[in-house]
Amino acid sequence: MIKILIIGLGSIGQRHFKILSNLENLKIAALRTSKGLLKHNLSINNFYEIEDALKFKPDGVIISNPTSLHAKSALPFLKQGSKVLIEKPID
């Protein structure tokens, strides 16, 4: 089972979730900044604290939060050994 963490569940994060949810042998979770309502009801394990997301020990992390938070969000997971996908330039 491969564990994937999506950081940020805005429109881009939800798009990644939709694509990944069609694949087998994946356990998908999200690190979110708030418990806000999602446009679509997603069946996903949510974390609201980075410490909890780190304990999930994801194999891969998709950074889909605001660009200004990319480096700060990616660094703890890179240090832990997770593979990280950042689609945009890092500020």
Side-chain angles (χ1 to χ4, degrees):
M1 179 75 56
I2 296 172
K3 295 188 220 174
I4 302 293
L5 178 72
I6 301 171
I7 299 181
L9 274 183
S11 62
I12 299 300
Q14 289 180 48
R15 187 176 309 151
H16 283 293
F17 173 76
K18 183 178 179 182
I19 293 165
L20 291 171
S21 65
N22 290 316
L23 301 174
E24 295 180 9
N25 297 319
L26 289 182
K27 185 172 185 179
I28 307 168
L31 175 59
R32 301 175 58 198
T33 56
S34 68
K35 296 179 182 180
L37 297 176
L38 295 173
K39 184 176 181 181
H40 304 285
N41 185 19
L42 304 179
S43 177
I44 190 168
N45 187 18
N46 292 292
F47 300 111
Y48 300 98
E49 301 292 333
I50 194 162
E51 294 81 12
D52 295 329
L54 286 164
K55 289 176 188 172
F56 178 64
K57 296 187 179 182
D59 299 294
V61 178
I62 298 173
I63 307 291
S64 60
N65 58 0
T67 304
S68 63
L69 300 174
H70 285 356
K72 180 181 177 183
S73 299
L75 195 56
F77 294 96
L78 288 167
K79 287 180 179 179
Q80 185 172 283
S82 299
K83 305 296 184 206
V84 175
L85 169 69
I86 302 175
E87 293 184 338
K88 298 179 189 175
I90 300 173
D91 280 349

